[in-house]
Amino acid sequence: MKVLVPVKRVVDHNVKVRVKSDQTGVDIANVKMSMNPFDEIAVEEAIRLKEKGTVTEVIAVSCGEKACQETLRTAMAIGADRSIQVETATELQPLAVAKLLKAVVDSEQPQLVILGKQAIDDDANQTGQMLAALLDWPQATFASAVEVEGDQVKVTREVDGGLETLVLTLPAVITTDLRLNEPRYVTLPNIMKAKKKTIDVLTPEGLGVDVTPRVRTLKVSEPAARAAGEMVADVATLLEKLKNEAKVI
């Protein structure tokens, strides 16, 4: 069974981001970049399925500028067999990424696509669902456990009321949650081995996909600074302020 794992290059989760002075976006100049944490979990899950003997090949794919190859090398150091990059300098929005991934799926014919539920830069949480719709495949989002059984996959997902278990018929799309697994530490020998693995470079034009942005960002601004707290004498005063000043009750 072949598994496709999309990965995204984002600002490292430990970096405190800054908004550009012209408010057109986030300043990423000279900022550490890394694999989106949810996608790292997706790669780890695919590798674990391969180690169980369920999966025969894991393919990582990333869409974006040439620097995305660093992220693909990381995925291969974790254990992916090979990688595909769809290279473009155009700003990629969720629908465009989903269309590119569909084109790759049509070419590679995987039985399972595992990707992070969202990217930590835009927090859109849309690509997995859009991809499933374009492919007309069953989907399970926010997965906290995945078990492949023959031509089906059982997915436990977290919902507001607790846990929900779904059984999907392959091929299918799964998006990962934080509690699915803990990604392994990438060792230096594996990093060196990843440098010898293959990265196939494609383009949106070659795939026949229009990636023109459909949404325009008007302004990006930092959240307002939190106001200092205020001590009150008694409960009556607290209720009065919550009602008349904060207007929350």
Side-chain angles (χ1 to χ4, degrees):
M1 186 171 79
K2 188 185 294 186
V3 175
L4 191 74
V5 186
V7 296
K8 186 177 183 181
R9 182 174 181 264
V10 299
V11 176
D12 189 87
H13 67 280
N14 291 312
V15 173
K16 180 176 174 57
V17 297
R18 301 186 306 273
V19 175
K20 293 180 180 179
S21 57
D22 59 2
Q23 294 188 313
T24 57
V26 174
D27 185 6
I28 60 173
N30 301 316
V31 170
K32 181 183 178 182
M33 308 292 284
S34 61
M35 186 189 301
N36 177 48
F38 291 102
D39 297 339
E40 196 172 358
I41 292 169
V43 175
E44 174 66 25
E45 190 63 23
I47 301 307
R48 292 188 183 191
L49 289 173
K50 184 180 177 183
E51 291 171 344
K52 292 178 181 177
T54 306
V55 170
T56 56
E57 185 179 25
V58 177
I59 306 168
V61 57
S62 188
C63 306
E65 297 181 347
K66 188 172 183 179
C68 289
Q69 291 192 12
E70 298 175 10
T71 307
L72 291 172
R73 294 289 178 196
T74 301
M76 291 189 291
I78 295 173
D81 298 290
R82 59 186 175 93
S83 294
I84 298 171
Q85 183 201 6
V86 183
E87 187 174 351
T88 177
T90 304
E91 175 196 355
L92 293 177
Q93 296 175 349
L95 180 58
V97 175
K99 289 181 176 180
L100 291 173
L101 293 177
K102 179 185 182 298
V104 174
V105 168
D106 289 342
S107 173
E108 292 292 334
Q109 293 294 306
Q111 285 73 51
L112 187 61
V113 178
I114 306 178
L115 66 163
K117 69 173 184 177
Q118 65 194 76
I120 62 172
D121 52 2
D122 57 17
D123 276 332
N125 184 18
Q126 295 175 333
T127 304
Q129 293 88 328
M130 289 178 171
L131 176 61
L134 291 172
L135 291 169
D136 195 24
W137 285 9
Q139 62 173 308
T141 57
F142 303 176
S144 59
V146 175
E147 298 176 39
V148 177
E149 302 172 349
D151 64 345
Q152 295 183 326
V153 56
K154 183 166 72 174
V155 179
T156 302
R157 58 188 303 269
E158 299 185 359
V159 296
D160 291 340
L163 298 176
E164 178 183 59
T165 301
L166 302 176
V167 176
L168 312 179
T169 300
L170 296 174
V173 175
I174 298 173
T175 70
T176 63
D177 209 343
L178 279 175
R179 280 162 289 281
L180 178 57
N181 61 53
E182 184 175 343
R184 68 194 66 191
Y185 178 76
V186 181
T187 62
L188 181 59
N190 286 337
I191 293 174
M192 300 305 293
K193 290 177 184 177
K195 292 183 178 181
K196 299 179 181 179
K197 293 184 179 180
T198 304
I199 297 180
D200 297 323
V201 180
L202 308 175
T203 63
E205 295 75 21
L207 294 172
V209 177
D210 178 14
V211 295
T212 304
R214 295 168 179 261
V215 178
R216 182 164 57 93
T217 301
L218 300 180
K219 183 175 70 172
V220 176
S221 57
E222 295 188 13
R226 294 182 61 180
E230 179 183 350
M231 297 292 292
V232 295
D234 50 42
V235 174
T237 306
L238 173 62
L239 292 174
E240 188 274 330
K241 288 185 176 292
L242 290 174
K243 181 177 181 180
N244 300 318
E245 292 184 18
K247 299 186 184 300
V248 295
I249 60 173

